[in-house]
């Protein structure tokens, strides 16, 4: 192909796989053209407001709705009794307890009738003609609740005298998880020349997506069909959840998702408000809309993280890892979210070994109910924290043994000749060059110049520290995924797939994949993900798997289009199908200059191209892929911080990462994903402090008290790539959406500990806020003087 003489081919090459094409949706979003759920107004819609508990724990004695029902514009007020016929929200994870019994099943109703279990627990739904009328009436609902003692710490929740949240979980214990060979691990620890022990907190975070949750319920009485307009992370998964709750078949439920302003795991599951608006729509015979406010989203959106781990690393005399043991607690909050037990358990197991030879791993975690907002996945969902535990204990072990922290990593890294490598977690790493990542990161970060930079900072009255954060993530496993390709009458093409873009920019890389394989112009390719009525299957977006699952499905579908196209082109070109070749968007008769472009062929079909009776007159494909295996993105991040010892303020001054995401479909978007993940990691590491008092009242329920990272908190990023293609999918790609968090937690907190090491401080928990850092310095200074 001569790109200099073919403008169309040049345009395609600029948007081919591997090019940094700009995101398709940016102009629309930046000029206010996006369509989020709250932008939708259906004819005749009413408005709902949720009444929430102000008690963290208490018995519901009464809910007086009479005054509210009589107020202007009010159409209905619903309580738990009104929605009791619907199914509960629940987790269906197939986990087993240590003794082999099933994980305890805790059911969450749309609205409780027995008691409230956290501040923000919804207890009633008010529907009125206008939003203001619904708000006024919601304030008139009177709750009579007998307060009960609350418990917010998972360790305290397991005590015999602790308040009990749910009869289905005696002692508040939902899951007693165990992985590993305890005897083999005990032998390894018995043979160890050194054992490092470290108590680590994986702090709770509040998600705070840019767009608050919103939902519109609609019911077609004639067809007995429900429609929910809501943000999601995949319409097919939400449809399946909601159908079970509505006690109907999936085909009777439609989920419609437009633009989504961030989710990070939080919008993946069905919430009580969605059941309420659908019930209201059915009983009132009109659409009902609800949109959350930021103040209540702090309480009602699922939170993330919140694990306590005791990490133990056994090493031989040369610093070789013999075994790793984690023993800890996972705080589930007041209910069991759909995926809540997994981050602290299975995902930690899969990720904690990282890129190191660790012959034995044992993970024991008790997942516990408390009177706090319920937990569900948050960006990474066990991947960042698994790597964080390993990287922190490595740094402490290096200091205790007198081994350079970089050298300790080098001694234990898996070498490229050892791959494929079966980790103690059971995962098989198919690709990667971990020593090369570390070496390149240290060189690019000028690691050798660190001592000089520390001296310069000291002259300015500051403490400088550097942290290395290596990581290896295990992306979500295979799932059925749709790869549909539809040739439209307006000479455009639509990709249909069941992942969902909530900020990632899927339309661009998916168009690059299709354009590269079929030669279709980039600007003619559209993406449809958000309408369950038009999809056959879909695993949604989560676990850093969209490029692998949707990408593989698109590639497979494109191959099917080519096969169909050859038979059709043979008719158009009056040749045998066996003589037709396809390349660069054109079907050709082999050995001749006779050809027809794929878009021209689609147009010929629409205008009546004569075909043999056995040929389907369409290039469209509706394909479902069975999915591709996990991938193992990995990297090394190096952060440097400066701390003012007088105030405890920590500033991240430099940040560099070298990552292996396999082949890069769009380097620009990959870098953006890394940057976003890193900033969220910095937020958890240094700023975001979710605080409750002993009564279960949240003390950080607004942006006045909960600090999100801002531009001033992030340094300029240097993002490099050391790509080794994955061998488990046709594109050779690895997930990148959550890796920034994994690198940031480890590198930033290691850097903080390094800076504080001048005071003999070896560890500080997240978030390393100014107050905590200042207190740690003062305590260490007092100990020295004492």
């Amino acid at each position: 192909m001569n790109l200099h003489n073919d403008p169309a081919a040049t345009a395609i090459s600029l948007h081919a796989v591997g090019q940094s094409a700009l995101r398709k949706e940016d102009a629309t979003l930046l000029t206010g053209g996006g369509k989020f759920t709250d932008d939708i107004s259906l004819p005749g819609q009413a408005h709902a407001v949720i009444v929430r508990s102000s008690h963290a724990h208490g018995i519901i004695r009464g809910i007086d709705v009479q005054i509210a029902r009589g107020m202007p514009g009010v159409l209905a007020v619903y309580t738990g009794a009104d929605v009791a016929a619907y199914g509960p929200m629940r987790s269906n994870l197939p986990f087993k307890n240590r003794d082999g019994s099933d994980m305890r099943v805790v059911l969450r109703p749309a609205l409780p009738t027995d008691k409230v279990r956290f501040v923000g627990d919804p207890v009633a739904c008010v529907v009125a003609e206008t939003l203001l009328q619904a708000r006024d009436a919601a304030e008139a609902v009177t709750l009579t609740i007998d307060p009960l003692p609350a418990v917010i710490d998972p360790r305290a929740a397991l005590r015999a005298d602790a308040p009990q949240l749910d009869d289905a979980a005696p002692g508040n214990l939902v899951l007693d998880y165990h992985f590993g060979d305890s005897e083999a691990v005990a032998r390894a620890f018995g043979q160890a020349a050194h054992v490092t022990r470290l108590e680590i907190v994986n702090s709770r975070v509040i998600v705070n997506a840019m767009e608050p949750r919103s939902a519109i319920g609609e019911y077609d009485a004639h067809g007995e069909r429900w429609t929910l307009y809501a943000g999601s992370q995949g319409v097919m998964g939400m449809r399946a959840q909601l159908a079970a709750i509505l006690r109907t078949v999936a085909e009777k439920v439609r989920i419609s998702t437009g633009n989504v302003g961030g989710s990070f795991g939080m919008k993946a599951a069905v919430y009580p408000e969605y059941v309420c608006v659908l019930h209201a729509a059915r009983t009132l015979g009109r659409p009902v809309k609800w949109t959350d406010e930021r103040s209540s989203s702090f309480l009602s959106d699922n939170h993330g993280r919140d694990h306590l781990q005791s990490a133990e690393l056994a090493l031989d005399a040369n610093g070789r890892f013999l075994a790793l043991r984690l023993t800890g607690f996972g705080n589930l909050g007041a209910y069991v979210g759909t995926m809540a037990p997994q981050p602290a358990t299975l995902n930690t197991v899969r990720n904690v070994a990282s890129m190191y030879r660790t012959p034995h791993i044992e993970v024991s975690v008790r997942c516990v109910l408390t009177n706090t907002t319920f937990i569900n996945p948050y960006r990474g969902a066990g991947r960042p924290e698994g790597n964080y535990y390993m990287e922190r204990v490595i740094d402490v072990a290096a200091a205790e043994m007198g081994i350079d922290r970089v050298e300790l990593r080098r001694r234990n890294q898996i070498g490229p000749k050892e791959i494929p490598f079966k980790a103690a977690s059971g995962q098989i790493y198919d690709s990667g060059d971990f020593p090369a990542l570390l070496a390149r990161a240290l060189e690019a970060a000028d690691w050798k110049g660190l001592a000089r930079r520390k001296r310069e900072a000291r002259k300015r009255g500051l403490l400088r520290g550097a942290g290395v954060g290596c990581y290896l993530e295990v992306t979500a496993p295979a799932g059925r995924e749709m790869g549909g390709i539809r040739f439209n009458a307006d000479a455009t093409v639509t990709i249909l797939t069941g992942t969902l873009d909530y900020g990632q920019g899927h339309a661009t890389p998916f168009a690059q994949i299709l354009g590269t394989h079929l030669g279709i112009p980039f600007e003619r390719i559209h993406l449809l993900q958000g309408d369950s009525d038009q999809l056959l299957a879909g695993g949604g977006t989560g676990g850093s798997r969209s490029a692998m699952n949707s990408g593989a499905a698109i590639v497979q579908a494109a191959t099917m289009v080519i096969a169909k196209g050859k038979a059709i082109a043979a008719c158009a070109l009056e040749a045998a199908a066996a003589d037709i070749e396809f390349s660069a968007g054109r079907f050709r008769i082999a050995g001749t200059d006779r050809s027809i472009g794929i878009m021209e062929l689609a147009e010929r079909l629409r205008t009546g191209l004569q075909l043999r009776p056995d040929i389907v007159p369409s290039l469209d494909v509706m394909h479902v892929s069975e999915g591709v295996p996990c991938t193992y993105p990995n990297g090394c991040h190096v952060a440097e911080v400066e701390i003012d010892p007088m105030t405890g303020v920590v500033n991240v001054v430099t940040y560099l990462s070298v990552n292996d995401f396999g082949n890069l479909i769009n380097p620009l978007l990959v870098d953006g994903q890394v940057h976003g993940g890193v900033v969220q990691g910095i937020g958890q590491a240094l700023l975001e402090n979710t605080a409750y008092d002993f009564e279960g009242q949240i003390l950080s329920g607004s942006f006045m008290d909960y600090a999100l990272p801002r531009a001033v908190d992030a340094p300029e990023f240097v993002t490099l790539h050391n790509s080794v293609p994955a061998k488990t999918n046709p594109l050779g790609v690895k997930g990148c959406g959550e890796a920034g968090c994994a690198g940031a937690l480890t590198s930033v907190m290691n850097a903080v500990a390094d800076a504080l090491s001048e005071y003999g401080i070896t560890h500080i928990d997240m978030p390393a806020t100014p107050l905590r850092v200042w207190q740690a310095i003062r305590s260490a200074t007092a100990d020295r003087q004492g």
Side-chain angles (χ1 to χ4, degrees):
M1 183 188 300
N2 188 337
L3 300 182
H4 298 289
N5 299 324
D6 188 342
T10 301
I12 291 171
S13 72
L14 293 175
H15 296 100
V17 167
Q19 299 299 309
S20 290
L22 297 179
R23 299 200 320 173
K24 281 175 168 282
E25 66 270 28
D26 282 351
T28 299
L29 294 176
L30 290 170
T31 56
K35 192 171 185 180
F36 300 85
T37 304
D38 192 51
D39 294 322
I40 301 171
S41 292
L42 300 181
Q45 76 181 15
H47 296 267
V49 169
I50 301 297
V51 180
R52 303 186 185 279
S53 170
S54 60
H55 295 278
H57 199 195
I59 299 171
I60 300 174
R61 296 300 185 189
I63 303 176
D64 187 348
V65 301
Q66 293 306 311
I67 295 176
R69 281 177 174 159
M71 293 179 68
V74 173
L75 301 171
V77 181
Y78 304 108
T79 63
D82 299 301
V83 294
Y86 299 107
M89 287 151 278
R90 58 177 293 172
S91 173
N92 291 312
L93 292 174
F95 284 142
K96 298 286 186 181
N97 289 302
R98 180 190 293 264
D99 63 7
S101 62
D102 291 337
M103 178 179 78
R104 289 165 174 168
V105 177
V106 177
L107 305 178
R108 181 184 188 184
L111 299 172
T113 56
D114 56 346
K115 63 179 184 175
V116 295
R117 292 168 172 85
F118 72 101
V119 173
D121 209 352
V123 293
C125 174
V126 178
V127 182
E129 294 285 356
T130 70
L131 179 58
L132 291 178
Q133 289 171 334
R135 284 177 179 167
D136 287 344
E139 292 181 1
V141 174
T142 302
L143 305 181
T144 302
I145 295 175
D146 287 349
L148 294 172
V151 60
I152 62 171
D153 186 298
R155 295 163 296 190
L158 291 173
R159 295 173 187 156
D161 60 347
Q164 299 299 293
L165 271 76
D166 197 294
D167 292 341
N172 296 319
L173 181 64
V174 172
L175 175 64
D176 184 10
Y177 178 87
H178 180 264
F179 173 89
D181 185 335
S182 298
E183 292 183 0
V185 170
R187 285 195 299 270
F189 272 84
Q191 296 165 3
H194 182 83
V195 174
T196 290
R197 294 180 174 86
L198 187 63
E199 302 295 322
I200 304 176
V201 174
N202 178 32
S203 52
R204 176 180 285 241
V205 293
I206 299 172
V207 179
N208 282 311
M210 185 179 294
E211 175 207 20
R213 286 188 298 114
S214 182
I216 304 173
E218 191 174 33
Y219 184 73
D220 174 12
H222 178 72
E224 297 182 332
R225 200 156 190 267
W226 314 78
T227 297
L228 179 73
Y229 301 85
S232 72
Q233 290 189 196
V235 293
M236 301 304 279
M238 183 165 282
R239 184 181 77 161
Q241 291 178 48
L242 196 53
I245 293 169
L246 297 174
R247 303 190 190 280
T248 187
V249 295
E251 291 72 24
K252 291 289 187 179
V253 178
R254 178 190 176 213
I255 305 296
S256 178
T257 297
N259 291 118
V260 180
S263 176
F264 314 113
M266 182 266 290
K267 294 175 183 172
V270 172
Y271 280 79
E273 297 90 350
Y274 306 168
V275 181
C276 290
V277 296
L278 286 167
H279 173 75
R282 186 177 72 165
T283 57
L284 297 174
R286 58 194 289 188
V288 177
K289 180 177 183 178
W290 165 83
T291 298
D292 211 353
E293 296 181 345
R294 185 64 66 182
S295 56
S296 60
S297 72
F298 269 82
L299 307 173
S300 63
D301 295 348
N302 74 251
H303 292 179
R305 313 286 199 232
D306 204 349
H307 311 139
L308 307 172
Q309 291 285 6
S310 176
E312 300 172 276
L313 181 63
L315 307 94
D316 68 15
N318 295 315
R320 308 289 182 185
F321 299 167
L322 301 177
L324 177 72
R325 182 162 55 203
L326 296 180
T327 307
F329 304 87
N331 189 345
L332 301 179
Y335 298 99
V336 182
T338 52
M339 301 294 291
Q342 184 157 322
T345 57
L346 179 60
N347 281 3
T348 295
V349 168
R350 288 173 171 170
N351 291 272
V352 72
S354 188
M355 57 179 61
Y356 305 106
R357 298 180 212 90
T358 311
H360 302 287
I361 294 173
E362 183 178 10
V363 176
S364 302
V365 177
R366 286 180 284 177
C367 295
V368 183
L369 296 176
T370 66
N371 296 112
T372 58
T373 297
F374 72 105
I375 294 289
N376 238 351
Y378 173 78
R379 196 171 191 164
R383 298 169 184 86
E385 42 265 57
N387 284 277
Y388 175 61
Y389 304 144
M390 176 61 94
E391 290 295 299
R392 280 301 300 129
V393 79
I394 287 175
D395 264 21
V396 174
E400 290 176 352
M401 296 185 73
I403 302 174
D404 178 80
R405 50 186 164 153
V406 171
E407 177 57 27
L408 187 58
R409 287 173 170 81
R410 287 196 182 109
R411 291 181 190 180
N412 290 282
Q413 279 185 324
I414 300 160
K417 293 182 179 180
E418 298 175 78
I419 292 177
F421 181 88
K422 185 173 183 179
S425 62
Q427 300 295 310
I428 299 176
Y429 304 161
D430 68 292
S431 58
D433 189 345
F434 313 137
L437 281 170
L438 177 60
R440 187 177 179 194
L442 294 175
E443 180 180 3
D446 185 24
W447 190 256
K448 294 180 179 179
L450 176 60
R452 170 180 49 80
R453 293 191 293 277
K454 285 190 172 188
R455 290 192 297 269
E456 292 172 349
R458 198 172 293 114
K459 292 177 182 178
R460 292 182 277 114
L462 302 175
L463 307 171
R464 192 174 184 113
V468 173
C470 295
Y471 73 89
L472 181 144
E473 291 192 329
V474 182
T475 62
R480 299 179 75 242
E481 190 54 75
M482 182 175 178
I485 300 174
R486 180 191 296 161
F487 288 79
N488 305 314
D490 61 357
T492 63
V493 174
T494 298
I495 297 170
L496 298 94
T497 191
T499 52
L500 197 127
D501 178 1
Y502 46 89
Q504 291 86 352
H506 286 174
T508 300
F510 291 175
Q512 290 177 264
I513 293 170
L514 187 63
T516 298
H517 282 79
L518 293 184
I520 299 170
F522 177 80
E523 65 277 3
R524 293 195 186 186
I525 301 173
H526 304 308
L527 176 63
L528 190 153
Q529 298 173 302
D531 185 347
S532 63
D533 277 2
Q534 299 195 53
L535 302 181
L536 300 178
T541 293
S544 297
R545 64 179 175 181
S546 295
M548 288 87 71
N549 277 13
S550 282
I554 292 167
V555 170
Q556 293 166 8
T559 301
M560 297 168 71
V561 169
I562 292 170
K564 294 180 72 173
K566 285 181 177 180
I568 297 169
C571 297
L573 297 172
E574 299 179 342
D579 293 333
I580 302 297
E581 300 175 339
F582 180 81
S583 66
R586 301 192 70 81
F587 295 94
R588 292 180 176 80
I589 301 176
T592 75
D593 61 356
R594 294 181 60 206
S595 67
I596 184 170
I598 190 169
M599 299 303 289
E600 181 185 352
L601 187 62
E603 177 61 25
R604 290 280 301 277
L605 280 172
R606 286 190 289 270
T607 56
L609 175 64
Q610 294 298 309
L611 302 174
R612 297 198 311 269
D614 62 321
I615 297 176
V616 178
S618 173
L619 290 171
D620 294 356
V621 166
M622 299 292 276
H623 168 66
V624 176
S625 166
E626 293 304 314
V628 296
C630 302
T631 62
Y632 302 93
N634 57 89
C636 179
H637 291 208
V638 181
E640 294 193 19
V641 303
E642 288 185 345
I643 299 175
D644 185 341
M646 300 302 294
T647 64
V649 171
V650 181
N651 286 310
V652 182
V653 291
T654 67
Y655 198 100
L656 176 140
S657 69
V658 180
N659 305 281
D660 173 12
F661 299 131
N663 293 328
L664 305 183
I665 298 172
N666 186 311
L668 179 67
L669 269 63
V670 169
D671 286 357
Q673 286 293 301
V674 174
H675 296 170
V678 168
V679 171
Q680 282 187 267
I682 290 173
Q684 183 181 359
L686 302 180
L687 299 165
E688 300 182 47
N689 185 29
T690 307
Y692 285 89
D693 70 11
F694 70 96
E695 293 181 333
Q697 296 292 332
I698 191 166
L699 303 177
S700 53
S702 76
F703 290 135
M704 292 294 290
D705 304 294
Y706 189 88
L708 283 182
R710 297 178 292 179
V712 71
D713 299 307
E716 292 294 325
F717 298 111
V718 177
T719 307
L720 307 175
H721 301 282
N722 194 72
S723 298
V724 180
K727 298 178 181 179
T728 54
N729 64 80
L731 293 167
V733 297
K734 304 174 185 178
C736 68
E738 297 162 314
C741 275
L745 294 187
T746 57
S747 61
V748 171
M749 291 307 294
N750 280 346
V752 171
D754 181 46
L756 295 176
S757 64
E758 289 193 22
Y759 292 90
I761 298 169
T762 58
H763 179 72
I764 186 170
D765 278 316
M766 300 185 291
T769 60
L771 176 60
R772 286 189 179 180
V773 172
W774 183 86
Q775 288 175 331
I777 291 173
R778 291 299 170 271
S779 177
T781 302
D783 289 344
R784 285 185 174 184
Q785 294 173 346

